[in-house]
Amino acid sequence: MNWPRPKQLLVKCGRQWPMLWKYVDLARAERGRKPPRWPDWCYLSTTAGPFLMELVCPFGNEGAKSQSFDSVESFSRMVVPLATWRVTQGIYRIDPEVAEAIWNTPIEGQLPVELLFHLPEWCVYVETPGKSLSTGKCLEGFLRI
């Protein structure tokens, strides 16, 4: 299948840890009643990452040291956004000219981060065709929660 990168990772995580998405739903249902706690505006906090890892990888860091993750932090950085994106699976393709203008805009001063609290979905995937990281690695897109 020619699925977008986050969909591929979603499927891979589901295969690697068959109970993961059930535990994500459990963490959401328990939010506010048991730790880890997080604000209402947040679908799933990174504070839930260690909790989820403990459930799906009972041997802690060793359980997550697989093909994808080398620590609790990397597990949380990958699984929490994927779990959040899993709800709507929104993919945003920006007009190439607009995308290029945004890409080339220098980031200076304070950014109005409060705007990021008004995204149309819990998490969005923005495609970045033809872009790469400063390391030279291809950047297919990014998730923004």
Side-chain angles (χ1 to χ4, degrees), residues 26 29 37 50 60 65 67 81 91 100 121 123 131 134 139 142:
L26 175 65
R37 292 184 174 93
K65 286 184 180 175
Q67 301 164 357
I91 298 173
E100 194 63 31
E121 301 175 36
C123 180
K131 299 299 179 194
S134 58
L139 177 65
F142 61 89

Side-chain angles (χ1 to χ4, degrees), residues 7-64:
K7 180 68 173 186
Q8 293 171 27
L9 292 171
L10 202 64
V11 170
K12 182 178 179 179
C13 286
R15 286 184 182 143
Q16 186 166 346
W17 300 296
M19 297 296 291
L20 176 61
W21 307 127
K22 179 180 178 179
Y23 289 135
V24 165
D25 295 339
L26 175 65
R28 286 267 310 144
E30 294 294 324
R31 181 187 56 77
R33 289 192 289 255
K34 295 181 182 176
R37 292 184 174 93
W38 59 85
D40 290 340
W41 55 261
C42 180
Y43 179 81
L44 185 67
S45 171
T46 54
T47 62
F51 166 78
L52 292 169
M53 187 172 167
E54 184 178 307
L55 291 172
V56 299
C57 305
F59 304 108
N61 280 358
E62 292 305 315

Side-chain angles (χ1 to χ4, degrees), residues 5 20 29-30 32 35 47 59 65 84 87 89 100 113-114 119 132-134 138 142-143:
R5 183 78 173 131
L20 176 61
E30 294 294 324
T47 62
F59 304 108
K65 286 184 180 175
T84 305
V87 179
Q89 299 187 25
E100 194 63 31
V113 295
E114 58 276 354
L119 292 173
S132 51
L133 300 170
S134 58
C138 177
F142 61 89
L143 289 172

Side-chain angles (χ1 to χ4, degrees), residues 1-8 85 88-100 102 120-121 123-131 139-143:
M1 294 263 162
N2 191 17
W3 288 335
R5 183 78 173 131
K7 180 68 173 186
Q8 293 171 27
W85 182 77
T88 57
Q89 299 187 25
I91 298 173
Y92 289 74
R93 295 178 177 107
I94 301 173
D95 176 81
E97 289 181 24
V98 173
E100 194 63 31
I102 293 169
E121 301 175 36
C123 180
V124 297
Y125 177 70
V126 179
E127 291 184 334
T128 56
K131 299 299 179 194
L139 177 65
E140 296 178 33
F142 61 89
L143 289 172

